[in-house]
Amino acid sequence: MTSAHHMRKHSKLISGSGLLFLFMAVCQDALAGTPGGTVSYAPYAAQGIPTLSEGMTMVLALLMSVTVFRVLRNKGGRPLAVLVAGALLILGMASSTEWMGRALAIGFQFNVESGGTVNVLVNNIDISIANQTTKPQQITAITPYPGQVAVAPPSATPIMPRCEVTTVVAPSASCVVRFALD
């Protein structure tokens, strides 16, 4: 046998193995059962904690900018004072508006006022669940499907926390959940 013949024979074996691994990767969810799980929720009875409105956050940013400007100006750093005060003002006002949005697309929703269950039929992806009702909703259970587990989503933040049992999601707010193979 020539070396060219051996190369063709080995390349067929390698491409056949590659196809087998690709098939296994694509079919792993089917072999493990239905991907994802469910998130159950119910109305939360307690009222939320009051916070600053957008307007008051802007006023607070303005007051902080004026204070920083005056302190830095008195220490002889007028150009720096203008720069820092302007940056604080812009960042403070920008953070109080809606254009500082979330990075995740909303794919799932709490949309029944009296509570219910959200079926999450994907895994290995951070999924945000938005509260589209007019009442705060509390998560009552997170149940992975067979062969799945609920894991900590890397994209969870204080603004969009991890969906956990007892988490309360305010109207128009979201939480993040992730299911993965067990």
Side-chain angles (χ1 to χ4, degrees):
M1 285 192 183
T2 66
S3 63
H5 180 70
H6 282 295
M7 291 288 282
R8 281 193 301 261
K9 185 177 180 180
H10 289 296
S11 68
K12 288 180 182 178
L13 180 63
I14 290 171
S15 62
S17 299
L19 287 173
L20 177 63
F21 284 117
L22 178 64
F23 174 78
M24 289 172 55
V26 169
C27 294
Q28 71 179 353
D29 292 340
L31 296 173
T34 304
T38 61
V39 178
S40 300
Y41 63 99
Y44 183 64
Q47 296 300 316
I49 299 169
T51 59
L52 289 177
S53 67
E54 282 185 29
M56 289 310 294
T57 304
M58 288 181 189
V59 169
L60 183 61
L62 180 63
L63 289 173
M64 287 177 61
S65 297
V66 169
T67 303
V68 167
F69 176 78
R70 292 186 67 155
V71 167
L72 289 176
R73 186 188 63 186
N74 290 341
K75 293 189 179 216
R78 186 173 176 89
L80 179 63
V82 170
L83 181 66
V84 171
L88 276 176
L89 183 61
I90 290 168
L91 288 174
M93 289 189 175
S95 67
S96 68
T97 61
E98 282 298 315
W99 53 275
M100 293 286 251
R102 297 184 179 105
L104 291 176
I106 296 172
F108 297 89
Q109 302 173 351
F110 300 143
N111 55 12
V112 178
E113 296 277 336
S114 60
T117 301
V118 175
N119 293 314
V120 178
L121 299 176
V122 294
N123 67 6
N124 295 324
I125 298 173
D126 290 2
I127 300 296
S128 69
I129 303 176
N131 181 1
Q132 297 297 313
T133 70
T134 59
K135 298 178 182 175
Q137 299 290 335
Q138 184 173 29
I139 297 175
T140 58
I142 296 179
T143 310
Y145 290 133
Q148 304 288 314
V149 293
V151 297
S155 66
T157 65
I159 294 172
M160 192 180 325
R162 177 181 177 185
C163 296
E164 296 179 297
V165 175
T166 71
T167 298
V168 177
V169 183
S172 300
S174 301
C175 66
V176 183
V177 68
R178 176 180 262 206
F179 294 101
L181 291 173
D182 189 13

